[in-house]
Structures are given as C-alpha cells and as structure tokens.
Amino acid sequence: MNLQEIYLTKNPYSRPDKRLTAVKGIVIHWVANPGSSAMQNRNYFDNLRFQSTTYASAHFLIGLEGEVIQCLLENEVGYHVGANRYSDLALKNLSSYPNNCTLGIELCHPDWTGKFTGETLQSAKELVLELCERYNLSRKDLYRHYDITGKDCPRWFVQNPDKWEEFLGGFPAV
Ligand SMILES: [Zn+2]
C-alpha cells in the first residue's frame, strides 16, 4: 500500500483541529464523483476553506489505482458522517455524534454504479486491517456510511450487500 500524508490546511470546514474522544469505528464511503482521483478529492476538501456552507472531510482517500492519501491525523475529528439523525446502531455503539469517535475512509470509483476497482479494494483492505490492529477493532466496528445515517453511501456496498459482507469477511471477527 502506497500511503502519502498530504494533510489539509486547518480550517473550520474540513480540518477543525478537534480531537477524537476515541476510535470506536471505521466508516467507509464513496466519493460520489466518478473518475476523480484521491488527490482531486483531497484538494476538494482543502478548498472548502474558501467557502462557508459545506463541512466535509475524511481521514483517508483511496484512489482508482489504489493510491492512499491521508489528509487528517488519526486523532482528529473529520466531517464525514454528520447528520440530523443517526441509526439506533450508531447511537448504541458509537455516540450521539459519530464524527467524534470514527475514522472516515473515502473510496474513489470509475462510474455512478459506485463499483470499486480491485486496486482500490486491495488498498482499502490493507489500510482497514492496519487500523483494526492499531485500535483493536474487528468486523463489527466497520460501518458503511449508510449504517449510520441511511445515506446511499458507499453506493456499491449499499446496493450490493453481498459485496459488503464479502469485504467484511477479510477482517477479524473479534
Ligand atoms: Zn459517505
């Protein structure tokens, strides 16, 4: 896995410089921007500092060739699962504000089906496995954005739950 650390500029909209209370879960997303690269999405987050309406970011971005960009430190709050309401599962296992105790990983995809490339999935597996080991997490601590807020994200794993189960199968059960 080729990981580059290219941190966002600190700013209220994507890098608020707040600390996580703990790392209780990892949330998987799609970028919802077909064909875009990890760097383009990293720059999108970075440029949010020039506006004043949108809050968005994630800790890691994984590109179509499997390239990984880390743009927030692992102890920092990112804005990837904020919503007006959260699922009972999230309220029970995470907190009333899941952004304060989760790491967000955004995966790039070639088209609107949201299907990921083999390279993207391979890097995602390696990264998630490493994070599971570091924070003592297991399969049950991995979430689709959908599981927390009901959003159609990441679309491929929401529309194809069997593929999500297959992905989860690569991680420790406990
Ligand atoms: Zn998402």
Side-chain angles (χ1 to χ4, degrees):
M1 181 180 62
N2 168 24
L3 186 150
Q4 278 186 289
E5 296 168 8
I6 312 176
Y7 297 107
L8 303 180
T9 310
K10 287 179 183 174
N11 76 90
Y13 302 99
S14 56
R15 194 181 179 195
D17 200 18
K18 292 177 183 157
R19 302 281 86 76
L20 294 176
T21 57
V23 178
K24 295 186 187 173
I26 297 169
V27 186
I28 306 295
H29 305 263
W30 72 326
V31 296
N33 186 0
S36 61
S37 68
M39 192 60 190
Q40 283 169 332
N41 285 283
R42 179 265 170 211
N43 290 343
Y44 165 74
F45 290 150
D46 200 53
N47 286 330
L48 292 176
R49 68 187 196 274
F50 300 119
Q51 52 83 65
S52 57
T53 50
T54 301
Y55 294 82
S57 53
H59 297 80
F60 300 93
L61 288 152
I62 305 183
L64 299 171
E65 278 88 46
E67 74 276 22
V68 184
I69 295 179
Q70 180 172 3
C71 55
L72 294 173
L73 292 168
E74 287 172 20
N75 64 2
E76 289 185 294
V77 169
Y79 292 141
H80 56 103
V81 277
N84 294 324
R85 312 190 34 156
Y86 299 103
S87 66
D88 292 340
L89 178 78
L91 294 172
K92 175 170 164 276
N93 294 351
L94 297 170
S95 74
S96 59
Y97 183 60
N99 273 332
N100 74 8
C101 59
T102 56
L103 296 175
I105 304 177
E106 300 246 3
L107 310 190
C108 294
H109 48 92
D111 60 42
W112 282 112
T113 65
K115 186 174 184 179
F116 302 115
T117 68
E119 290 88 342
T120 301
L121 285 176
Q122 181 57 35
S123 289
K125 282 175 190 165
E126 291 175 26
L127 176 61
V128 171
L129 204 50
E130 197 178 302
L131 295 171
C132 282
E133 285 169 9
R134 191 172 309 146
Y135 298 102
N136 199 21
L137 302 175
S138 62
R139 212 175 283 173
K140 68 177 184 338
D141 306 309
L142 307 182
Y143 299 87
R144 296 168 295 183
H145 188 172
Y146 168 82
D147 298 315
I148 297 178
T149 71
K151 190 175 177 179
D152 182 20
C153 173
R155 179 171 286 169
W156 184 252
F157 285 150
V158 174
Q159 305 300 329
N160 300 279
D162 55 319
K163 301 292 182 193
W164 174 241
E165 288 302 321
E166 191 182 313
F167 181 77
L168 288 181
F171 305 102
V174 282

